Amino acid sequence: MPSRKAPQTLKAMPPSKRGGGGGGLSAGALAKTKRKEVASIAVKKKVGAPPKTKPVPSKAVDGKAKTPQAASAVATTVSSKQFDGEDTALEIAKAFMRTAAASALAGVRIGHGGPFGASIVRDGVVIACAHNMVLHCGDPTKHAEMTAIQYACKALGTHDLSDCDLYTTCEPCPMCWGAVRWSGLRKAYLGVDRFTAARYGFDDKVFYDEVNSKHGCYGLCLHSDASRRWQDGKVNGKTVEEPKHQSMVEIYDGVLHLEVAKTFADVEHNRTLARRNRTMSGDSADAPVSGQDLAAANSPRNQPLPSSPTDQDSHEEFMRLAIRAAKVGVREHRSKDREPFGAVIVKNGHVIAEAHNCVIENRDATATAEICAIRLATARLGTHNLEGCTLYSTTHPDLMSLGAILWARISKVYCGVTQQLAAQSGFEEGLSHIRELVEVEAGIPSANVIRDIAAGECEAVFQEWSSRNGIIY
């Protein structure tokens, strides 16, 4: 299977992505915003006239310009050059990025994992700083961004990081982009892009290709990312060419389709739907949607073809365990909002892990059912590689969970219902996060991305990692 890949730079996600699409910030608006932020966290110190730079045309920031610098598949992006005249703000951004780079460098030197670091900042204070610890912890979800988000959630006692900013030395992979979206981080500052990382062997491009290749499972149109092109480069004197994509995971749905649909329609197991029914319906409203209605309106897209009746019985048995896990989370008030999400991981016919959504219980924005199951399975097996394992989930995995499945090397996933059914039951985020990566939409982005912050220092970590013959996982 392919090894570690690279995510779309914050700049990589098109204007229509990351926050739902749309144009970006104008240079003037960004400057105004930065002036306000700087005033609250530092005393401005004038050190002479700022260097003259070429003005950045507004059309390059409003999403209209069709250039390689246009935002592409996750969010509207803003180049560091657009800090035009805001030297202090740029230097502050670089300073915070250096904390992430320092952590990444330390991680490389002590052998924790790949050359990646991330810091989360609130009101000018570093709340959490982490580096990649996949090899150290034996956990494929322990990327720098995921770990920093976990630490920040724990430090602040909440899964909502909407008043925080992310500084990451490299453009996030799809899993980490999903985590950024779930945590609600306000801004994301990037060091190098995923193509730079790919030249050192960490090619997240295959992960993006895999997400795109699964667009049919999610009922989405394939997004053609013409503005983001691979560029051959050299590492240690050798030219690195674009790798060819190979499918990494097969996703099936329709296992106990009606039974899972009834769980989503049950207001005792889905408080989100119950609240929506009260808001939209009122006392005189029509009867709430039933599980049969949901199932009929959202037929399976890729049902498994059992090789024998026994095979079918096994799939249904494991799916019932996933449903049971989801109900446990609901009954014990461990899930975010009494959510019907559960997951089970099986190897050689034996259940390795069962889990449900634990966002509220763990105060962790990354704690979806699938990711919790992966963490339990890797801890039990003592390895970050779950090759040979199969995952059963009540619904199609969201972007973050799909990314984790790919990193764990799980090659088969069996689901009960689609993300379309989940969206109709009150859970639109899972589908929207996937859509942001594979479809161009109009709208206003909810997260701003600023790239090329201290890029040279961030790439220096990759260079040291390469010189040490670091391990690609």
Side-chain angles (χ1 to χ4, degrees):
M1 279 192 180
S3 44
R4 200 311 188 190
K5 320 321 168 186
Q8 263 182 306
T9 69
L10 292 187
K11 167 165 195 161
M13 295 208 144
S16 58
K17 304 299 176 173
R18 288 251 86 198
L25 297 176
S26 66
L30 178 61
K32 184 177 180 180
T33 300
K34 297 311 295 183
R35 282 195 294 272
K36 290 181 179 179
E37 292 177 357
V38 172
S40 66
I41 61 175
V43 177
K44 288 187 176 181
K45 189 174 182 181
K46 191 170 182 179
V47 190
K52 294 183 179 180
T53 59
K54 295 183 179 180
V56 179
S58 60
K59 65 178 182 179
V61 188
D62 63 13
K64 297 179 182 179
K66 296 181 179 180
T67 66
Q69 287 69 39
S72 148
V74 175
T76 298
T77 64
V78 181
S79 170
S80 63
K81 296 179 180 179
Q82 291 173 255
F83 276 97
D84 194 27
E86 290 295 318
D87 289 345
T88 303
L90 177 56
E91 290 307 313
I92 290 174
K94 288 181 177 179
F96 286 131
M97 185 62 76
R98 289 183 184 112
T99 68
S103 183
L105 188 58
V108 166
R109 291 176 176 175
I110 57 182
H112 275 183
F116 307 92
S119 290
I120 291 178
V121 177
R122 186 177 73 166
D123 295 333
V125 177
V126 176
I127 303 299
C129 184
H131 52 257
N132 183 293
M133 296 195 291
V134 170
L135 300 179
H136 177 66
C137 297
D139 181 348
T141 72
K142 281 291 185 179
H143 287 202
E145 299 93 335
M146 294 277 285
T147 305
I149 287 172
Q150 280 187 285
Y151 289 169
C153 288
K154 183 176 181 179
L156 299 176
T158 177
H159 62 279
D160 183 0
L161 302 182
S162 57
D163 57 351
C164 300
D165 298 329
L166 170 70
Y167 292 80
T168 178
T169 58
C170 183
E171 177 183 6
C173 69
M175 176 180 71
C176 294
W177 272 126
V180 170
R181 296 293 287 114
W182 279 121
S183 62
L185 283 161
R186 180 175 53 190
K187 291 183 181 179
Y189 296 80
L190 307 184
V192 300
D193 63 22
R194 71 179 187 275
F195 297 103
T196 298
R199 291 197 292 271
Y200 290 88
F202 286 94
D203 181 22
D204 289 356
K205 179 181 179 299
V206 300
F207 283 64
Y208 280 91
D209 290 346
E210 186 68 18
V211 172
N212 275 342
S213 73
K214 295 296 179 286
H215 68 282
C217 294
Y218 294 87
L220 302 175
C221 297
L222 183 62
H223 168 64
S224 179
D225 187 9
S227 65
R228 300 287 297 166
R229 299 290 188 182
W230 170 278
Q231 294 180 355
D232 290 346
K234 289 188 176 182
V235 175
N236 296 331
K238 297 181 180 179
T239 299
V240 181
E241 299 179 349
E242 180 176 11
K244 303 302 180 182
H245 175 67
Q246 297 179 358
S247 180
M248 300 172 67
V249 62
E250 293 298 328
I251 300 178
Y252 303 98
D253 57 68
V255 180
L256 292 183
H257 185 246
L258 180 58
E259 189 171 336
V260 177
K262 287 180 178 179
T263 305
F264 272 84
D266 186 347
V267 293
E268 292 300 317
H269 294 141
N270 186 351
R271 182 177 291 178
T272 298
L273 181 60
R275 184 168 53 247
R276 172 172 295 188
N277 287 341
R278 289 194 300 270
T279 301
M280 298 179 64
S281 304
D283 295 336
S284 62
D286 295 333
V289 64
S290 68
Q292 289 88 343
D293 292 336
L294 282 175
N298 298 275
S299 58
R301 293 181 175 276
N302 187 29
Q303 285 186 290
L305 298 175
S307 56
S308 68
T310 301
D311 190 28
Q312 178 67 28
D313 290 343
S314 296
H315 291 326
E316 292 182 353
E317 175 188 355
F318 295 132
M319 185 57 68
R320 287 192 178 93
L321 292 178
I323 295 173
R324 185 184 70 178
K327 291 182 176 180
V328 168
V330 169
R331 184 174 62 250
E332 299 184 8
H333 306 285
R334 295 178 179 177
S335 58
K336 183 178 179 182
D337 200 5
R338 291 192 178 182
E339 300 176 337
F341 298 105
V344 169
I345 292 179
V346 177
K347 185 172 185 179
N348 298 328
H350 299 287
V351 175
I352 304 300
E354 298 179 42
H356 51 73
N357 182 293
C358 292
V359 170
I360 291 298
E361 179 185 20
N362 297 348
R363 294 293 188 271
D364 178 2
T366 71
T368 60
E370 296 91 339
I371 285 184
C372 287
I374 287 172
R375 288 169 175 165
L376 288 172
T378 55
R380 173 168 291 185
L381 297 177
T383 176
H384 64 279
N385 190 332
L386 297 183
E387 191 170 357
C389 292
T390 300
L391 186 143
Y392 292 82
S393 176
T394 53
T395 186
H396 277 167
D398 61 280
L399 177 62
M400 178 176 67
S401 301
L402 176 57
I405 288 168
L406 297 176
W407 282 116
R409 301 301 190 263
I410 295 174
S411 59
K412 288 187 178 181
V413 176
Y414 294 90
C415 308
V417 299
T418 65
Q419 278 289 345
Q420 281 78 6
L421 188 148
Q424 291 179 21
S425 303
F427 305 103
E428 298 90 349
E429 298 94 339
L431 186 60
S432 69
H433 295 174
I434 292 282
R435 179 182 292 118
E436 288 169 6
L437 219 61
V438 299
E439 279 189 340
V440 175
E441 294 181 322
I444 299 175
S446 62
N448 298 313
V449 178
I450 302 170
R451 66 188 304 270
D452 298 328
I453 302 296
E457 293 166 73
C458 294
E459 184 170 0
V461 181
F462 281 88
Q463 293 170 346
E464 177 158 334
W465 175 88
S466 179
S467 70
R468 290 171 177 266
N469 297 316
I471 298 174
I472 300 236
Y473 45 85

